Amino acid sequence: MKKAFWLVFLALAACTAPQGIKTTGSLRIQSVQPDVVSGCTVQAGDWMALKGNTFGTQAEWNSGANHALFPPEPGLHAESPEITQAENPATLMFRVPQGAQSGILRLHVEGVGDAEIPVSVQALAPQMAVPGCEVPAPPQPPE
């Protein structure tokens, strides 16, 4: 009976986690906007937002202890990483850097864990609006 409970629990956990995102340590990614995991594309200069359990502190992002690396390898750092909400769920916003290519976005949060998120980057071209693929609004400066 106990074994069946755990199998059901694991199946539910697998179904509710975003598919295609791999994490290590205690880092958990709950959502990505735009939803690159489901096939949305991004362009250089687009904002992306990640919601998760924790992204460390803004000081760690500013110092480079935490980083988001876009392909090509060894990687381009995401531009202007900013924690816009430190609570649970935490929100991290950043811009896709110039020269980014499709592949695996690698996120490192010092002392928490790492994440690998598949991204599809397209060259600058007119884009049709696709439901669920909206780019998040840029973070607002503190008042």
Side-chain angles (χ1 to χ4, degrees):
M1 183 67 173
K2 237 181 181 178
K3 187 176 181 179
F5 169 77
W6 283 109
L7 288 174
V8 170
F9 177 76
L10 289 173
L12 283 173
C15 292
T16 58
Q19 302 301 309
I21 297 177
K22 296 178 184 174
T23 59
T24 64
S26 61
L27 180 63
R28 298 293 172 258
I29 305 295
Q30 297 166 347
S31 67
V32 181
Q33 184 186 358
D35 190 356
V36 293
V37 177
S38 293
C40 296
T41 60
V42 292
Q43 299 176 8
D46 282 354
W47 284 93
M48 290 184 68
L50 301 179
K51 289 202 180 289
N53 60 333
T54 184
F55 292 113
T57 66
Q58 187 64 53
E60 291 168 325
W61 286 95
N62 295 344
S63 73
N66 298 340
H67 52 267
L69 298 172
F70 276 83
E73 296 300 334
L76 297 169
H77 281 278
E79 296 177 12
S80 311
E82 184 175 332
I83 296 174
T84 59
Q85 180 178 334
E87 299 83 34
N88 194 9
T91 303
L92 176 70
M93 294 194 67
F94 52 85
R95 294 180 77 168
V96 178
Q98 291 293 330
Q101 297 176 6
S102 297
I104 301 295
L105 165 63
R106 299 181 193 289
L107 185 76
H108 173 75
V109 181
E110 189 69 30
V112 178
D114 297 291
E116 294 182 348
I117 304 166
V119 293
S120 179
V121 180
Q122 74 176 26
L124 293 177
Q127 221 176 336
M128 290 178 45
V130 177
C133 292
E134 294 84 11
V135 175
Q140 299 300 314
E143 294 179 20

